[in-house]
Amino acid sequence: MKTVKEVMTAHPVSVTLLDNIYEVAVKMRDNGTGFIPVVDSADGATLIGVITDRDLVIRGYADKHSGSTAVETVMSREVISVPESASVEEAAELMASAQIRRIPVTQDKKLTGIVSLGDLAVKRVFADEAAEALHDISQQQLH
């Protein structure tokens, strides 16, 4: 059984509370992602939140916040994450039940990577789990 550590994207781009939402948007653009973890500025690794492109739009720009608005204003603090030792199946089930497409990977509360449905699907062995998770997410969002 493979673990998420084996399929995750290691060393993901992140921001701290010292950054603003313009900087988050630039990092998303430059790194081709719609998901940025927020880490503690003291150690640069402890996961404290996440920001999605949707968060930027809904909580940021749609509420007429400027680009200099603090990351804290738009980030989600209630983060669902998985330990590096979690199985790929466990991660897929958690993603489906929480209706999320990406999940931070941690070791002792420190961000070590991100697993996306795409990461699961690329590994042909786990295509079924990824497809099932995406199906569950899509079905729950339709209701």
Side-chain angles (χ1 to χ4, degrees):
M1 181 177 342
K2 286 205 177 215
T3 64
V4 293
K5 185 176 182 178
E6 296 174 77
V7 299
M8 72 182 188
T9 300
H11 312 293
V13 174
S14 62
V15 296
T16 72
L17 295 178
L18 301 175
D19 293 306
N20 61 47
I21 64 174
Y22 171 77
E23 292 164 324
V24 173
V26 169
K27 283 189 178 191
M28 285 181 176
R29 179 198 66 202
D30 292 350
N31 292 279
T33 186
F35 183 88
I36 301 275
V38 181
V39 295
D40 189 327
S41 58
D43 65 13
T46 301
L47 183 64
I48 59 172
V50 296
I51 300 174
T52 66
D53 46 6
R54 181 173 169 80
D55 293 332
L56 280 179
V57 171
I58 303 298
R59 296 184 195 149
Y61 299 117
D63 282 345
K64 298 185 180 181
H65 290 290
S66 70
S68 62
T69 300
V71 162
E72 193 168 24
T73 304
V74 300
M75 76 180 208
S76 297
R77 285 190 177 270
E78 294 182 26
V79 180
I80 297 170
S81 64
V82 294
E84 291 180 340
S85 60
S87 72
V88 170
E89 291 81 6
E90 291 170 323
E93 288 173 13
L94 182 57
M95 292 165 79
S97 68
Q99 300 182 42
I100 55 177
R101 297 171 189 265
R102 300 170 207 92
I103 192 165
V105 179
T106 57
Q107 184 67 31
D108 300 320
K109 298 185 182 181
K110 308 284 190 213
L111 177 68
T112 60
I114 295 175
V115 171
S116 70
L117 288 178
D119 294 328
L120 300 180
V122 167
K123 313 297 182 196
R124 293 190 66 75
V125 174
F126 306 112
D128 290 341
E129 286 86 351
E132 185 176 326
L134 180 58
H135 176 267
D136 291 348
I137 290 167
S138 298
Q139 290 293 65
Q140 291 174 5
Q141 289 179 353
L142 291 175
H143 295 37

